[in-house]
Structure formats: structure tokens, C-alpha cells
Amino acid sequence: MRSLIDILELSVAEIDELLATAEDIIANPEKYADACRGKKLATLFFEPSTRTRLSFEAAMYELGGNVLGFSDAGTSSASKGESMADTAKVISCYADIIAMRHHQEGAPLVASCNATVPVINAGDGGHNHPTQTLADLLTIKRELGRLDHITVGFCGDLKYGRTVHSLISALSRYAGVKLVLISPKELGIPGYVKYEAMSNMEWEETTDLEAKLPELDVLYMTRIQRERFSDLDTYERLKDSYILTADKMKLAKEKMAILHPLPRVNEISVKIDADPRAAYFRQVLNAKYMRMALILKLLGAAKGKERRPEPLPTARGDEGLIVNELKCQNTRCITQTEQELDQVFRRVSDTVCRCIYCEKKLGE
């Protein structure tokens, strides 16, 4: 593994290895205190973030390394029109590994194909957030003792929630996982997640949180994300669709775990924070440990190797690709702004293909 852009790039064995490393870090922090001495992490956050950026920085510092970067895209050369490809090439001259968050879907993929150091996707638009998924998996494992044969409820914004999409993809590789998808109809799970990542899973959709609470081993709450809405009237109508209260928690199992990628607004009452089933702040801490494990793995994989960018699928000669014959219609896709970037689609059926950067579908 050279970079991490999508959680599906990790096999179950690799995920289990990262989980084991994270748990060893928790048990033996002194063992890792100098593991990255002399190494530098560049944090390139083109979209606002507090938890994720500070988590990466804390992870690198606790491994004995150093951090450089910015948290305000307005202070970067991107504000002057520099391409993502050029940014990645430049930062590779300064850092040993890059963590990137970007509002355009596919930006970290483009960076990884041009950087000569490992790139970690720290969130790209509403698309992927693989390191949050690793934190979620560690939290579920530590709370329940397993990742298989569980019922997981996802509640809130399932349409734009990149954390939801990534976690569903990861859970699809574990046996006996059932999904309960709880959302307003306007914020339901996208088709490409439902019919691809979930194709081998048992799942159901509902608008009724209270009716399904007694069945859940995990409740993954999400906020309705104002920044993902172009129509603020729709946001105002939907923002308070689900609020988890102490009274509602009386319906839940005694051992159910409540997760939330944070920040929360008012979808979880603060009165629940003292409930032992509230795992969301433990989830924050687990994120740091998983990012420590991932940094170690990626730097270990790159150690002693010649620094070369990872090629796009077109350069690798992957089959089933359509190059520069179609145009992605997703306004959040990196292809809308990136200089001279090939439009590449992967054919998934005779009538359907998907943009390799953002997974936007063209066809029926």
C-alpha cells in the first residue's frame, strides 16, 4: 500500500493489521514514541477542519515526528490557481507523507498520482473519508468486541455523509452485518453505495428511528450538513429531522454503542454524554491511534524505495476505462477545475459507467 485514498484499497487482513497496531499503541505508547523521528507530515486542508487536522498532527507528534502545512486554503498557492498536481509535486519536496482534505471529490487521488510520497485522504467532498472509517472500525471493535454479525443503524444525512459511505464499504467485507438506513427521503443513501457496496449485505431503509432502535448494536448518528446544501430552505426544513434524547435511549439495547463523526449540532442531546453507550468521544481518541498506525504503515512501506508517483489507472493500462469520451457532470468533481486532467470513466455495465475521481454515474 503506497497511499490511502479509498477504504476499499485495504484488504480485511490489512485493516486487521492496522487495528492490531492501534491497539498495541494504546497498550504500549512508549514503544512508538520515536518511531517517526526525523519524518515530516504535511497537512494540506483545503476545507475547514479541527478534529481531523489536529488528530493527524497529534498522531505525528506522538510518533516523534514533525508537522508542517496550513489549515486555511486562502493562504496556499491554490488561491493563486496552482493545480493539485503541481501542489503535490511541490509538497513532496518538503515532506515524507501528506494528509489532505479537499472540497473537490477526487482531489486526493490526483495528488497521490503526482506526489512522490504517500498521500492520505482526510476527506474529499461528500465522497470518501477512509481514516474516519478506520477510527469507526476500531471503536466498534473495542465497544462490542467484534466487527461481524452486528446490526448497524445509520441515521441522518446518508446522502452527503462521506463517513457513512466509507464505513458501509468497509463493513461490507465482514460476515453477518445488517444495515438499517434511517433518514428523510431527500437524504437517502446514494444509489452507487446501495447497489454496489451494499449488494451482498442485508439492509433496509426507514424514516422511523424509534421503531428500529431496539434492534441496533451500533447507532451511527450524523448531522445534517449545511455546507452540502445549495438550497438553504431545504436545509432548514431537514436539519432537525432526528434528535437522539435520553427518553429515546430507553428503547435501545444496554450494550448498544452510539457513534458520531462529529461535530454534532443538536442531533444528540448533551444529556446522553454520560451514558456509557455514548462512544463518540472515545471514537475521537481512537482516530488518533488509527492515524498513528496508518502513518507507520505507509512510511514503513515507502522506506528505502525510490520516490515515484502512483500512475492513474489509464497509465497502468487498466481495462474497462473510457478516456476523454465523456464528461463528468458532478460540479464537486476535481475534473471541473484541474488543469489538463483526463476525463476517465470505468465501465460497470453495458449502460453505466462511473467517473474514477468522484464515482458520479453516467447512464441508466
Side-chain angles (χ1 to χ4, degrees):
M1 183 175 61
R2 174 74 161 63
S3 293
L4 180 60
I5 306 303
D6 186 328
I7 194 67
L8 290 179
E9 295 169 355
L10 295 174
S11 67
V12 172
E14 287 175 317
I15 290 174
D16 290 344
E17 178 190 346
L18 287 168
L19 292 172
T21 300
E23 292 191 294
D24 194 48
I25 291 170
I26 293 169
N28 305 289
E30 69 287 343
K31 178 177 162 184
Y32 297 89
D34 293 315
C36 289
R37 186 163 300 281
K39 299 296 184 181
K40 297 183 291 294
L41 166 73
T43 54
L44 308 184
F45 279 66
F46 297 87
E47 188 178 52
S49 170
T50 302
R51 257 164 317 281
T52 304
R53 180 172 60 85
L54 293 182
S55 177
F56 270 108
E57 292 179 358
M60 193 58 168
Y61 283 131
E62 291 190 25
L63 291 169
N66 292 296
V67 178
L68 51 90
F70 60 84
S71 59
D72 181 0
T75 65
S76 74
S77 292
S79 64
K80 304 174 185 177
E82 183 176 57
S83 69
M84 181 52 58
D86 284 359
T87 296
K89 292 172 184 175
V90 169
I91 301 303
S92 296
C93 298
Y94 307 142
D96 300 285
I97 188 168
I98 296 169
M100 175 184 291
R101 167 166 289 186
H102 205 284
H103 58 281
Q104 289 182 302
E105 296 166 8
L109 173 61
V110 173
S112 72
C113 293
N114 289 275
T116 54
V117 300
V119 174
I120 301 172
N121 182 0
D124 61 332
H127 186 216
N128 273 315
H129 198 350
T131 63
Q132 178 65 52
T133 300
L134 291 173
D136 299 340
L137 292 173
L138 179 60
T139 304
I140 294 171
K141 186 172 185 293
R142 288 178 67 81
E143 296 293 319
L144 300 181
R146 66 191 189 281
L147 291 171
D148 56 3
H149 298 94
I150 55 176
T151 299
V152 182
F154 291 92
C155 181
D157 178 4
L158 309 189
K159 180 177 182 179
Y160 299 112
R162 59 191 170 197
T163 60
V164 172
H165 305 165
S166 289
L167 182 54
I168 287 174
S169 293
L171 289 172
S172 69
R173 272 93 65 81
Y174 291 89
V177 176
K178 177 183 176 180
L179 305 180
V180 179
L181 308 170
I182 308 159
S183 71
K185 291 182 179 179
E186 297 93 329
L187 296 177
I189 202 81
Y192 78 89
V193 179
K194 184 186 299 183
Y195 298 114
E196 292 175 22
M198 293 161 48
S199 61
N200 64 338
M201 306 177 77
E202 182 181 354
W203 57 271
E204 63 177 296
E205 291 181 289
T206 181
T207 59
D208 192 340
L209 170 61
E210 293 176 63
K212 291 299 175 180
L213 261 177
E215 302 176 17
L216 306 180
D217 298 302
V218 177
L219 173 60
Y220 197 98
M221 293 293 295
T222 66
R223 70 185 172 94
I224 308 299
Q225 304 174 82
R226 180 174 180 174
E227 64 270 26
R228 305 295 179 208
F229 284 81
S230 56
D231 179 2
L232 290 184
D233 289 339
T234 302
Y235 165 76
E236 290 294 331
R237 178 168 55 84
L238 297 175
K239 67 178 182 179
D240 294 328
S241 296
Y242 299 100
I243 300 175
L244 188 63
T245 64
D247 282 342
K248 290 177 183 175
M249 283 300 296
K250 294 174 183 177
L251 301 170
K253 294 180 180 180
E254 289 187 10
K255 297 293 184 181
M256 187 188 78
I258 310 167
L259 276 66
H260 192 305
L262 301 180
R264 68 173 165 188
V265 181
N266 66 341
E267 60 276 0
I268 299 178
S269 168
V270 296
K271 294 180 180 178
I272 292 177
D273 293 356
D275 190 312
R277 294 170 289 186
Y280 32 89
F281 292 118
R282 296 191 290 275
Q283 186 181 357
V284 172
L285 187 56
N286 288 332
K288 180 186 69 174
Y289 295 127
M290 284 306 301
R291 286 165 183 144
M292 291 172 73
L294 181 61
I295 289 169
L296 285 170
K297 182 175 179 65
L298 291 176
L299 287 178
K303 187 176 181 180
K305 294 185 178 180
E306 183 180 354
R307 293 184 168 189
R308 292 183 179 178
E310 288 188 339
L312 277 169
T314 49
R316 296 199 305 259
D318 288 12
E319 297 182 356
L321 298 181
I322 304 169
V323 184
N324 294 329
E325 296 179 17
L326 305 168
K327 184 174 176 59
C328 185
Q329 304 302 311
N330 180 6
T331 57
R332 297 184 178 91
C333 184
I334 188 66
T335 58
Q336 301 293 323
T337 58
E338 187 70 4
Q339 180 179 322
E340 299 181 15
L341 185 64
D342 284 337
Q343 295 267 345
V344 185
F345 285 79
R346 178 173 283 107
R347 190 179 296 282
V348 295
S349 73
D350 291 341
T351 58
V352 175
C353 53
R354 295 195 181 282
C355 173
I356 67 163
Y357 306 100
C358 70
E359 296 185 83
K360 176 72 176 180
K361 180 178 72 172
L362 284 182
E364 295 183 0

